[in-house]
């Protein structure tokens, strides 16, 4: 789910004394903990150069020493505090927070970095297995196999080798199936099914689709095998946001087995993506009646809330958008928004060299409806969870701020679909801000000081959800993310940005994508970002 932070009222603010709590590794972002002046509790406390006890010890502190806590990060190896000696600004290093007693918290700090953006907040991808009523409509789906475990094991050994799929072995099985033997045809179909599944693990949906399609004629005489193959094809199309194509395969699957929970589950996903709420609700209700599933239950609750809220809404549409809005007050605004979005669609598509395959849903709310439906944090003024959701109460036309919100949220739709939801939050947010026209001039000085004093937020810690960030933490995250994307475009051109987005679906990790696209890694990109800010904005 992507949200957009409200623009701060003040241009500049003092962030360098804020305690920022971030996600690190498998840890979850938390609310701010007391930070400020702290006292060492044990007789001796080592200060490490990095947030790792295997790194070098730069100093030993003794019981009673007073420190300033500048940064607090919860990681899989424990709570780490970035500290400086009392009265000094430079970060000394990192200590275990357990060794400190906080004596005086920092005063509250109002956010005022000139940053605005939106965060993909805890939005599970199809492979993540995470889903709730406020997350993007994607499921972690395990398609049943039509073959026994032993059959699959044997075919896997024959069809998949260390070099990948053994095409010659598959061709042998296809040749053997030409006599029409049901057993031989089933083996050929299962071989393609195994090969397609393997290609999915390698993040290659195109080749997976080729194998699943090739399995169809061999599965024609085996209804269960044919049903599974149709599910496989539909699932790949759903991952690619090709909802219409997925629905066609699911219609065939429904004719084979009208009482399939899997077909109904996948159909709900397809219809929701097509903005057909009534059909989505019906299919998910049917799926739950046949085979209760907590993930589907959460998505059903989400769809039912949308259905209830949008009952009586008017609809407008263009070739790229389906817009829902309350009809009485805003028909003129609705048309203005559709025109703005169409212009943005062409601009973003040309910049990123990508075109979403289906019309994108857009919903206009009153402020209260937006809060009730999205449960967004107080700093959000737009959200994208597959549908663009924007509060427009009191507006009669697209003003400058709404134009920024619309382009920002639409960028999330492009990036999410072209990376199949494998894009880290910092890159999603950086690209969305950059596309809406924001730049780092007003934030450069503060960001460079934070980097030089080791108080910045490393990009690695900004991969996951930001929903739990307070406004100060969110502002810092947005600002550094925008600066990083500016750096990528400046150093590697827009083609470098396109390559990075493309490699995210191929490499499996952000580290791998950074290396493949730009021959860099996280620490180097952080360094490049600080250097770019100095060079460009004179810091």
């Amino acid at each position: 789910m992507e949200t957009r932070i409200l623009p701060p009222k003040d241009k500049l603010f003092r962030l360098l004394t804020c305690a920022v709590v971030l996600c690190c590794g498998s840890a979850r972002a938390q609310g701010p903990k007391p930070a400020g002046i702290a006292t060492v509790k044990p007789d001796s406390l080592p200060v490490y150069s990095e947030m790792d006890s295997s790194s070098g010890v730069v100093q030993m502190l003794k019981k009673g020493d007073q420190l300033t806590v500048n940064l607090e990060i919860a990681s899989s190896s424990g709570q780490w505090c970035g500290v400086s000696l009392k009265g000094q600004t430079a970060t000394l290093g990192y200590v275990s927070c357990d060794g400190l007693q906080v004596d005086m918290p920092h005063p509250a700090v109002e956010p005022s970095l000139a940053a605005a953006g939106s965060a993909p907040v805890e939005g599970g991808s199809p492979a993540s297995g995470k889903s709730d009523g406020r997350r993007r409509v994607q499921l972690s789906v395990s398609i049943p196999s039509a073959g026994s475990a032993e059959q699959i094991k044997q075919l896997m050994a024959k069809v998949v080798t260390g070099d990948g799929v053994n095409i010659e072995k598959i061709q042998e099985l296809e040749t053997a199936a030409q006599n029409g033997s049901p057993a031989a045809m089933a083996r050929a179909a299962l071989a393609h099914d195994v090969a397609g599944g393997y290609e999915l693990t390698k993040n290659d949906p195109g080749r997976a689709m080729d194998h699943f399609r090739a399995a169809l004629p061999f599965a024609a005489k085996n209804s269960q095998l044919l049903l599974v193959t149709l599910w496989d094809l539909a699932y790949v199309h759903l991952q690619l946001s090709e909802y219409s194509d997925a629905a066609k395969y699911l219609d065939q699957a429904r004719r084979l087995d009208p009482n399939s929970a899997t077909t109904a589950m996948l159909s709900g996903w397809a219809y929701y993506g097509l903005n057909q709420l009534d059909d989505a609700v019906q299919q998910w209700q049917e799926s739950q009646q046949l085979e209760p599933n907590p993930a589907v239950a959460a998505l059903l609750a989400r769809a039912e809330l949308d259905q209830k809220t949008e009952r009586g809404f008017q609809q407008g549409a263009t070739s790229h958008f389906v817009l829902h809005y309350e009809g009485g007050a805003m028909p003129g605004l609705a048309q203005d928004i559709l025109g703005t979005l169409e212009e943005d669609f062409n601009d973003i598509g040309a910049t990123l060299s990508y075109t979403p395959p289906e019309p994108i849903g857009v919903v206009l709310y009153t402020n209260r409806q937006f809060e009730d439906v999205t449960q967004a944090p107080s700093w959000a003024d737009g959200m994208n969870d597959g549908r663009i959701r924007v509060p427009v109460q009191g507006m009669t036309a697209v003003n400058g701020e709404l134009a920024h919100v619309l382009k920002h949220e639409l960028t999330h739709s492009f990036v999410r679909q072209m990376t199949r939801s494998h894009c880290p939050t910092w890159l999603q947010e950086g690209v969305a801000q950059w596309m809406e026209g924001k730049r780092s001039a007003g934030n450069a000085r503060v960001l460079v000081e934070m980097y030089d004093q080791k108080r910045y937020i490393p990009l690695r810690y900004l991969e996951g959800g930001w929903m739990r960030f307070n406004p100060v933490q969110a502002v810092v995250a947005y600002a550094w993310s925008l600066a990083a994307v500016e750096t990528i475009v400046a150093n590697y051109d827009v083609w470098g940005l396109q390559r990075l987005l493309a490699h995210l679906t191929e490499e499996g990790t952000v580290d791998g994508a950074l290396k493949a696209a730009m021959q860099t890694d996280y620490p180097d990109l952080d360094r490049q970002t600080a250097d770019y800010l100095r060079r460009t904005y004179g810091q």
Side-chain angles (χ1 to χ4, degrees):
M1 185 184 300
E2 288 83 29
T3 55
R4 186 179 186 278
I5 189 170
L6 287 165
K9 296 180 180 178
D10 302 319
K11 177 87 170 176
L12 296 173
F13 75 116
R14 297 181 60 199
L15 279 173
L16 300 182
T17 57
C18 292
V20 181
V21 185
L22 304 174
C23 285
C24 181
S26 61
R28 300 172 65 188
Q30 306 168 26
K33 294 185 178 181
I37 304 303
T39 302
V40 175
K41 293 191 296 184
D43 292 337
S44 62
L45 182 67
V47 182
Y48 296 97
S49 59
E50 303 292 341
M51 287 175 279
D52 188 337
S53 58
S54 64
S55 64
V57 176
V58 297
Q59 188 168 330
M60 292 296 296
L61 300 172
K62 63 182 184 300
K63 187 173 182 177
D65 284 347
Q66 286 197 313
L67 306 165
T68 299
V69 178
N70 307 309
L71 178 71
E72 184 178 344
I73 289 180
S75 76
S76 57
S77 61
Q79 290 285 128
W80 289 93
C81 287
V83 297
S84 57
L85 295 174
K86 187 178 178 182
Q88 297 186 9
T89 57
T91 296
L92 184 64
Y94 302 92
V95 303
S96 170
C97 296
D98 292 339
L100 299 178
Q101 175 182 325
V102 177
D103 300 322
M104 184 177 69
H106 284 305
V109 181
E110 291 297 322
S112 52
L113 267 179
S118 69
V121 205
E122 302 189 22
S125 70
S128 73
K130 297 179 181 179
S131 181
D132 70 14
R134 295 192 301 276
R135 293 190 176 107
R136 184 176 299 122
V137 180
Q138 294 189 353
L139 294 167
S140 177
V141 177
S142 177
I143 303 297
S145 173
S148 67
E150 187 59 30
Q151 283 178 304
I152 298 300
K153 181 179 178 181
Q154 291 177 1
L155 280 171
M156 180 67 77
K158 294 178 181 179
V159 171
V160 179
T161 67
D163 298 325
V165 175
N166 187 335
I167 299 298
E168 291 183 358
K169 176 54 67 175
I170 292 180
Q171 289 174 341
E172 289 179 14
L173 294 171
E174 289 181 334
T175 300
Q178 289 177 358
N179 63 8
S181 163
M185 291 182 70
R187 280 193 294 272
L190 278 172
H192 277 296
D193 185 70
V194 167
Y198 169 80
E199 296 294 0
L200 280 181
T201 67
K202 297 301 180 182
N203 294 317
D204 195 334
R207 289 185 178 179
M209 195 89 74
D210 289 341
H211 282 292
F212 294 141
R213 289 197 188 104
L216 284 174
F218 295 103
K221 295 182 179 180
N222 185 320
S223 60
Q224 184 59 32
L225 186 51
L226 179 58
L227 184 63
V228 169
T229 305
L230 292 169
W231 289 337
D232 286 331
L233 283 163
Y235 177 66
V236 179
H237 280 298
L238 289 170
Q239 282 193 308
L240 297 174
S241 300
E242 296 168 352
Y243 305 114
S244 297
D245 290 331
K248 292 175 184 177
Y249 286 116
L250 292 167
D251 286 342
Q252 296 179 50
R254 194 173 296 106
R255 288 193 291 271
L256 282 175
D257 183 359
N259 298 312
S260 164
T262 299
T263 300
M265 173 180 63
L266 295 175
S267 295
W269 182 357
Y271 287 132
Y272 196 91
L274 291 168
N275 297 291
Q276 298 176 19
L277 291 181
D278 292 343
D279 292 327
V281 167
Q282 179 184 346
Q283 289 299 312
W284 278 332
Q285 286 175 340
E286 182 178 329
S287 177
Q288 286 298 90
Q289 291 169 0
L290 294 166
E291 188 177 310
N293 180 309
V296 176
L299 292 172
L300 173 59
R302 162 62 177 279
E304 288 176 331
L305 177 58
D306 282 340
Q307 185 185 48
K308 177 181 177 182
T309 304
E310 297 172 35
R311 187 172 291 122
F313 274 29
Q314 299 296 312
Q315 179 172 308
T318 63
S319 58
H320 299 127
F321 299 96
V322 175
L323 177 68
H324 289 186
Y325 64 97
E326 285 189 312
M330 54 180 76
L333 175 62
Q335 290 303 311
D336 199 8
I337 285 175
L338 283 172
T340 300
L341 286 170
E342 282 293 339
E343 293 179 4
D344 293 340
F345 188 97
N346 293 331
D347 183 33
I348 299 169
T351 302
L352 300 183
S353 293
Y354 177 79
T355 301
E358 303 281 2
I360 297 167
V362 183
V363 190
L364 308 183
Y365 296 105
T366 65
N367 293 345
R368 179 61 181 272
Q369 288 170 337
F370 179 76
E371 293 171 2
D372 290 345
V373 171
T374 65
Q375 298 293 298
S378 60
W379 41 262
D381 64 355
M383 181 168 285
N384 186 326
D385 57 0
R387 305 171 85 200
I388 296 172
R389 303 170 186 269
V390 183
V392 293
Q393 186 169 324
M395 297 184 182
T396 58
V398 175
N399 58 22
E401 179 55 33
L402 180 55
H404 280 287
V405 173
L406 292 172
K407 193 164 190 178
H408 185 109
E409 299 303 339
L410 180 56
T411 301
H412 282 308
S413 292
F414 275 76
V415 173
R416 176 182 63 82
Q417 292 187 35
M418 69 186 296
T419 64
R420 303 200 301 277
S421 298
H422 290 110
C423 189
T425 301
W426 67 265
L427 186 55
Q428 265 277 13
E429 289 316 317
V431 175
Q433 291 177 87
W434 183 75
M435 282 301 312
E436 67 167 297
K438 289 189 178 297
R439 297 297 181 264
S440 297
N443 301 331
R445 179 184 61 80
V446 175
L447 292 175
V448 169
E449 288 180 10
M450 293 177 75
Y451 179 83
D452 288 343
Q453 297 178 17
K454 296 183 179 180
R455 296 179 181 181
Y456 75 109
I457 307 173
L459 290 170
R460 185 181 299 280
Y461 299 143
L462 296 176
E463 284 191 3
W466 295 2
M467 180 66 90
R468 295 171 182 266
F469 282 7
N470 66 29
V472 171
Q473 296 163 350
V475 164
V476 177
Y478 283 118
W480 191 244
S481 297
L482 171 60
V485 169
E486 281 188 59
T487 301
I488 291 170
V489 175
N491 292 351
Y492 304 96
D493 202 76
V494 71
W495 310 112
L497 178 61
Q498 292 176 8
R499 287 196 304 273
L500 177 57
L501 293 171
H503 279 294
L504 285 169
T505 62
E506 300 170 5
E507 301 299 327
T509 65
V510 182
D511 288 291
L514 287 169
K515 182 177 180 180
M518 302 181 299
Q519 292 75 55
T520 189
D521 56 20
Y522 265 133
D524 189 49
L525 183 56
D526 285 328
R527 179 193 58 77
Q528 289 185 47
T529 300
D531 289 346
Y532 163 80
L533 293 173
R534 289 191 184 92
R535 181 175 70 248
T536 306
Y537 300 108
Q539 301 302 322

